[in-house]
Every structure is written in structure tokens, then in C-alpha cells.
């Protein structure tokens, strides 16, 4: 390729990318590339496309390399972009292709940002789902079965018995020997409830005693006329002769 033809392409590129293009030598340039449609809320991306034109250009591909100038690209992403550039370049052999390569990279950077935005959205949705499941599991608890309830009850009763034993032991420590004996005797006395549970006929006996002492009254024999006469008798006033 003649120097005049290459100089002509450089001139066109400089008019399109006045601030992005840097001319390194007569056969080498560097162009800063940003997404053509930046995605808000996603890490900015920018690349430097370094192009070195060979003698056979444009009938053969130029040598080019990519370098991230803003944001981060992993090696697999860089390799993928490089392979795509080679494919685009091969499709445009025989003509000036630098502008086409830059346009393709700008589109691919926008696609990368959209992919990252979608990946971020999925990750946040997954975190929210996991948090929701964890909260549901926490509030739902463990299903109760007969076996699990029996196991829990046995453990609970054992813990309560041990707790009462410790409390009794602490209480006895502060008592004199005589007070301990009295306290132990008190514990062996049966409460009213225990007596009732031992002999349930006690309540029936009490009722029988009450029935024996009770006086039966037939209210039907006490009619209204008799009550009125008694009330009138009470209201009468007896006067003596001295009055």
C-alpha cells in the first residue's frame, strides 16, 4: 500500500475521531473507543485499538491489539473481541477497514455493558430469592411430628427437673440442719390437690355432710295471701289506754 493512500485514510480517520485518534508513526495509530450506546449504572468501558498497517494492507489484515483504558475486561472477553475483529477484517479485505473495525468495537462494548447489566440484575434477583427462602425457612420452622414432640417433651422435662434440683440445692445451702429437716418434711406433705387426687370420694363426702344439715322448704306452701297478712300485722300500731 502506498504512503499516499494510507495518509488519505489517516486524514479521514482524524476528521472522524479528532480527540480519540493518536498517530504513533507513519504506519501506526491508536484510537480510543467507547460504547456507542453507554448503559447507565454499569461500570464504564473504554478500549484502545492499536493498529499497525502492513505493506500488503488493505489486501491483508493489519496488525492490531486491544488494551482496556477504562473499566475491566477479562482475558476471555479480550480474546473474543480480537477474534471478532479478525473476522470483520477478513470480510472487508481489499478496502480501507479501520473505520469498520472501530464501529464494530463500539457496538460490542455496548453489548458487553448490557450483558453485565443483565448479569447484575440476575445476581441481585437470586440474592433476593435466597434471602426470601431463608426468611421463610426461619419463620416456618421445623414441622412437628409425634416423635419430635415426644423427644422435645422428654428433653424439656429433663431440663426443668435439673433446674428445680439446682434451685432446691441452692435453697438448702442457706438453711441450718434443723431447717433442712423441716423443709424436707414440708415437701413430703400432701397438698389439698394431692389429697383430692389420692381419694376422690372426699368431695362427695363433703357434699353428703351438707345435705344432712340442710332444711327442706316447700315454697308452694307459702302462698301470697299469707305473706300479705304477715306484712299487715307488722304495720299495725298498738296504743295504750294512757294515750
Amino acid at each position: 500500500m502506498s504512503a499516499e493512500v494510507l495518509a488519505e485514510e489517516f486524514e479521514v480517520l482524524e476528521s472522524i475521531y479528532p480527540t480519540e485518534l493518536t498517530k504513533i508513526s507513519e504506519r501506526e495509530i491508536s484510537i480510543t473507543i467507547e460504547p456507542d450506546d453507554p448503559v447507565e449504572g454499569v461500570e464504564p468501558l473504554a478500549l484502545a485499538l492499536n493498529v499497525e498497517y502492513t505493506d500488503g494492507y488493505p489486501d491483508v489484515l493489519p496488525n492490531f491489539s486491544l488494551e482496556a483504558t477504562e473499566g475491566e475486561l477479562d482475558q476471555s472477553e479480550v480474546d473474543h473481541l480480537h477474534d471478532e475483529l479478525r473476522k470483520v477484517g477478513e470480510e472487508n479485505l481489499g478496502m480501507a477497514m479501520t473505520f469498520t473495525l472501530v464501529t464494530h468495537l463500539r457496538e460490542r462494548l455496548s453489548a458487553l455493558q448490557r450483558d453485565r447489566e443483565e448479569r447484575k440484575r440476575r445476581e441481585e434477583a437470586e440474592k433476593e430469592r435466597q434471602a426470601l427462602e431463608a426468611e421463610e425457612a426461619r419463620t416456618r420452622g421445623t414441622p412437628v411430628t409425634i416423635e419430635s414432640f415426644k423427644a422435645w417433651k422428654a428433653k424439656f422435662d429433663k431440663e426443668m427437673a435439673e433446674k428445680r434440683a439446682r434451685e432446691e440445692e441452692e435453697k438448702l445451702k442457706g438453711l441450718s440442719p434443723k431447717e433442712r429437716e423441716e423443709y424436707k418434711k414440708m415437701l413430703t406433705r400432701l397438698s389439698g390437690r394431692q389429697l383430692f387426687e389420692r381419694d376422690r370420694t372426699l368431695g362427695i363426702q363433703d357434699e353428703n355432710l351438707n345435705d344432712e344439715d340442710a332444711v327442706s322448704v316447700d315454697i308452694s306452701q307459702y302462698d301470697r295471701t299469707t305473706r300479705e297478712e304477715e306484712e299487715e300485722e307488722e304495720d299495725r300500731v298498738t296504743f295504750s289506754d294512757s294515750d
Side-chain angles (χ1 to χ4, degrees), residues 107-155:
E107 293 174 352
R108 291 305 303 149
L109 287 181
S110 294
L112 273 175
Q113 283 193 319
R114 289 192 295 271
D115 291 344
R116 291 182 177 185
E117 180 187 35
E118 177 62 20
R119 183 165 61 248
K120 180 181 178 181
R121 187 192 64 78
R122 289 197 303 267
E123 290 174 353
E124 290 176 350
E126 178 63 17
K127 288 180 181 179
E128 184 177 353
R129 184 189 66 79
Q130 292 178 357
L132 182 61
E133 288 183 353
E135 179 63 17
E136 289 178 350
R138 186 186 67 81
T139 55
R140 182 171 60 248
T142 304
V144 178
T145 62
I146 295 177
E147 291 74 15
S148 64
F149 176 77
K150 288 181 178 179
W152 172 85
K153 185 67 167 58
K155 181 180 178 182

Side-chain angles (χ1 to χ4, degrees), residues 14 45 50 126 132 145 162 181 204 207 227 229 238:
E14 287 175 341
L45 284 178
N50 303 311
E126 178 63 17
L132 182 61
T145 62
E162 292 174 350
E181 291 298 324
I204 299 174
E207 291 180 0
R227 291 198 302 273
E229 291 176 353
T238 304

Side-chain angles (χ1 to χ4, degrees), residues 10-21:
F10 282 0
E11 184 178 352
V12 173
L13 292 173
E14 287 175 341
S15 65
I16 299 174
Y17 310 111
T19 59
E20 296 91 342
L21 187 145

Side-chain angles (χ1 to χ4, degrees), residues 159-171:
E159 291 175 351
M160 293 303 296
E162 292 174 350
K163 180 181 178 181
R164 286 193 296 269
R166 288 193 300 269
E167 291 175 350
E168 293 295 335
E169 184 178 354
E170 290 297 324
K171 186 178 294 185

Side-chain angles (χ1 to χ4, degrees), residues 9-214:
E9 183 174 359
F10 282 0
E11 184 178 352
V12 173
L13 292 173
E14 287 175 341
S15 65
I16 299 174
Y17 310 111
T19 59
E20 296 91 342
L21 187 145
T22 301
K23 188 175 181 180
I24 300 173
S25 68
E26 294 299 324
R27 286 184 171 271
E28 187 176 359
I29 62 173
S30 178
I31 302 177
T32 300
I33 301 172
E34 296 179 349
D36 63 347
D37 185 19
V39 178
E40 294 184 2
V42 180
E43 180 185 24
L45 284 178
L47 290 175
L49 172 63
N50 303 311
V51 184
E52 182 183 2
Y53 298 93
T54 58
D55 292 337
Y57 178 83
D59 296 324
V60 295
L61 292 176
N63 297 322
F64 48 78
S65 62
L66 297 172
E67 180 183 355
T69 58
E70 187 175 8
E72 294 183 0
L73 288 172
D74 58 43
Q75 191 58 45
S76 63
E77 291 173 326
V78 173
D79 292 342
H80 184 67
L81 290 174
H82 195 277
D83 292 341
E84 287 185 342
L85 282 182
R86 291 189 63 85
K87 183 178 179 180
V88 172
E90 290 171 353
E91 293 173 352
N92 289 271
L93 288 175
M95 63 184 75
M97 65 180 72
T98 308
F99 174 77
T100 303
L101 296 177
V102 172
T103 301
H104 177 78
L105 280 177
R106 284 169 57 85
E107 293 174 352
R108 291 305 303 149
L109 287 181
S110 294
L112 273 175
Q113 283 193 319
R114 289 192 295 271
D115 291 344
R116 291 182 177 185
E117 180 187 35
E118 177 62 20
R119 183 165 61 248
K120 180 181 178 181
R121 187 192 64 78
R122 289 197 303 267
E123 290 174 353
E124 290 176 350
E126 178 63 17
K127 288 180 181 179
E128 184 177 353
R129 184 189 66 79
Q130 292 178 357
L132 182 61
E133 288 183 353
E135 179 63 17
E136 289 178 350
R138 186 186 67 81
T139 55
R140 182 171 60 248
T142 304
V144 178
T145 62
I146 295 177
E147 291 74 15
S148 64
F149 176 77
K150 288 181 178 179
W152 172 85
K153 185 67 167 58
K155 181 180 178 182
F156 176 78
D157 291 343
K158 180 180 178 182
E159 291 175 351
M160 293 303 296
E162 292 174 350
K163 180 181 178 181
R164 286 193 296 269
R166 288 193 300 269
E167 291 175 350
E168 293 295 335
E169 184 178 354
E170 290 297 324
K171 186 178 294 185
L172 289 173
K173 286 181 180 179
L175 301 178
S176 64
K178 183 177 180 180
E179 289 173 334
R180 289 196 192 100
E181 291 298 324
E182 291 295 328
Y183 182 72
K184 290 179 180 179
K185 289 180 181 179
M186 181 185 69
L187 292 179
T188 59
R189 294 172 186 167
L190 295 177
S191 64
R193 178 177 179 178
Q194 290 171 328
L195 288 171
F196 176 76
E197 291 177 347
R198 173 173 292 187
D199 187 357
R200 295 183 180 274
T201 63
L202 291 176
I204 299 174
Q205 293 172 1
D206 289 342
E207 291 180 0
N208 292 337
L209 289 174
N210 291 334
D211 291 342
E212 292 175 359
D213 295 337

